[in-house]
Amino acid sequence: MKAFKAVLDEIDRISMALFDTTGHLDYRLNKLPDLQNELLHALQSHIDDCYRILKVIHPFSQVNEKFVESWLKQAKHPAYKDFHNAIEGYRESFAPIVNKIKHNGGQLRPIMMYSSGRGIVARTVEKGIQTFPKNARIVGYYLEGMQPNGCIGPDCEIHPDGKTAISLNRDLRYHFANLYRVGHHLRAAIARTVRHIHGIKLPRPVAVEYTAGQYNIESIAEQVSKLPLLFFENEFFKETPDIKFYRHSGNPDLILETPGYRYMTWEGEVMIYSEIQVDAVCPEYQIPYR
């Protein structure tokens, strides 16, 4: 959760940053790639830890396999297949980015779209209701790679057309909701394993006692729920989890709906701001959405 909070706090700083007299943002985006990199690695490590949990609650096996998933499969773990099938689609939605960073030296680059001139007009997908967001800013990132034409730009294996990026307004909703979805399937896998091996039926529902880090989770949930429903144009018609957080005198309410809805499109005049690095070997660069 620490990595999640760090990205959200950086988005807040970017959203509140002022523009200088030339119309440029008076705040660097150079911290964002490292923070997002750390978050993606943490999310993948979380899933790896879930598989390790399934392994440690399984009786000793003679299976000689150092990779946890292969061990679970060869040991015929009673809950491995269902858990794997339930979460693999989510893991594969971002694991290729992590692997390219880890094994191929891939770099994340920041990008921001912000309104200029007359601003933008946003419309809800379902009913076409118009809104006019003020100071609209869409912060995101993309994985840099070599494109087939020899240019540097968005990695075509991650961004299929080589001209798009990932907005954090959508991405953080997606990952936050899936943290809970993975937890739900892990709980079911643990219960199934304990019942199958030990004949014990775990109680349901399970009450979670207050922990020192609980307020951080509530704070993160509140920040995610307040992210603008403005995404990059290639994300207009992707389903996005619905996240609502209500704080009141009693326990706060968090409502998650996955896979979610198609929320909003927008049109209007925007500026694109990104921070990149080029050299004499490859002086051409493909900026997303250009």
Side-chain angles (χ1 to χ4, degrees):
M1 285 297 179
K2 181 180 179 181
F4 230 114
K5 179 68 172 171
V7 174
L8 284 164
D9 288 346
E10 184 64 11
I11 291 174
D12 284 346
R13 285 188 282 269
I14 294 170
S15 298
M16 293 185 293
L18 302 176
F19 292 90
D20 61 24
T21 55
T22 63
H24 296 98
L25 189 71
D26 191 24
Y27 188 84
R28 294 286 307 278
L29 303 183
N30 57 327
K31 295 178 183 177
L32 189 62
D34 288 341
L35 296 175
Q36 182 63 19
N37 184 1
E38 184 176 344
L39 174 58
L40 294 176
H41 277 79
L43 291 168
Q44 180 154 293
S45 295
H46 173 67
I47 292 176
D48 293 340
D49 288 342
C50 291
Y51 284 114
R52 293 187 183 99
I53 291 171
L54 294 184
K55 181 179 179 180
V56 299
I57 62 174
H58 190 278
F60 174 78
S61 172
Q62 295 290 344
V63 172
N64 184 18
E65 174 56 60
K66 66 177 182 178
F67 296 108
V68 176
E69 283 194 63
S70 298
W71 189 95
L72 293 170
K73 189 174 182 180
Q74 291 182 37
K76 298 186 180 345
H77 192 288
Y80 165 72
K81 184 177 180 180
D82 285 347
F83 180 72
H84 175 83
N85 290 342
I87 66 137
E88 188 62 11
Y90 167 61
R91 180 166 71 170
E92 286 304 307
S93 70
F94 71 93
I97 299 176
V98 176
N99 292 336
K100 279 178 173 284
I101 294 172
K102 187 184 299 184
H103 302 298
N104 297 350
Q107 297 287 327
L108 296 182
R109 298 298 184 192
I111 184 172
M112 182 179 76
M113 285 187 181
Y114 58 95
S115 60
S116 62
R118 298 182 179 179
I120 65 173
V121 179
R123 294 181 179 83
T124 59
V125 170
E126 184 177 352
K127 296 184 178 181
I129 298 173
Q130 292 188 0
T131 59
F132 303 89
K134 294 182 179 179
N135 191 30
R137 303 183 192 188
I138 309 173
V139 182
Y141 67 97
Y142 60 94
L143 181 72
E144 185 181 78
M146 178 68 74
Q147 299 192 342
N149 60 3
C151 286
I152 299 293
D155 189 305
C156 292
E157 293 183 6
I158 303 299
H159 312 280
D161 58 3
K163 294 183 179 180
T164 57
I166 300 168
S167 74
L168 287 169
N169 287 343
R170 180 181 185 275
D171 202 44
L172 294 180
R173 281 186 170 87
Y174 175 72
H175 288 305
F176 186 78
N178 273 287
L179 274 176
Y180 279 85
R181 196 176 70 84
V182 169
H184 167 78
H185 289 297
L186 177 62
R187 194 273 173 202
I190 292 171
R192 179 175 180 178
T193 304
V194 173
R195 184 173 65 250
H196 182 272
I197 295 173
H198 303 288
I200 299 173
K201 185 176 181 180
L202 295 179
R204 188 182 184 96
V206 177
V208 178
E209 297 296 329
Y210 177 84
T211 65
Q214 184 171 345
Y215 182 77
N216 288 336
I217 296 175
E218 293 175 6
S219 176
I220 290 169
E222 189 169 23
Q223 282 181 276
V224 172
S225 71
K226 291 180 178 179
L227 289 171
L229 291 168
L230 296 174
F231 314 135
F232 292 143
E233 60 187 53
N234 53 295
E235 301 170 322
F236 283 171
F237 297 102
K238 290 183 177 181
E239 292 178 327
T240 301
D242 186 30
I243 299 174
K244 293 183 173 66
F245 181 85
Y246 304 99
R247 193 183 293 278
H248 43 74
S249 56
N251 291 326
D253 294 327
L254 173 62
I255 301 172
L256 303 173
E257 292 187 44
T258 59
Y261 310 97
R262 298 174 178 87
Y263 281 98
M264 198 170 292
T265 65
W266 58 263
E267 60 183 24
E269 184 179 332
V270 295
M271 299 290 288
I272 299 174
Y273 176 73
S274 183
E275 295 181 8
I276 62 174
Q277 183 176 343
V278 296
D279 54 35
V281 177
C282 187
E284 296 186 10
Y285 201 100
Q286 172 63 58
I287 298 291
Y289 308 106
R290 296 287 291 178

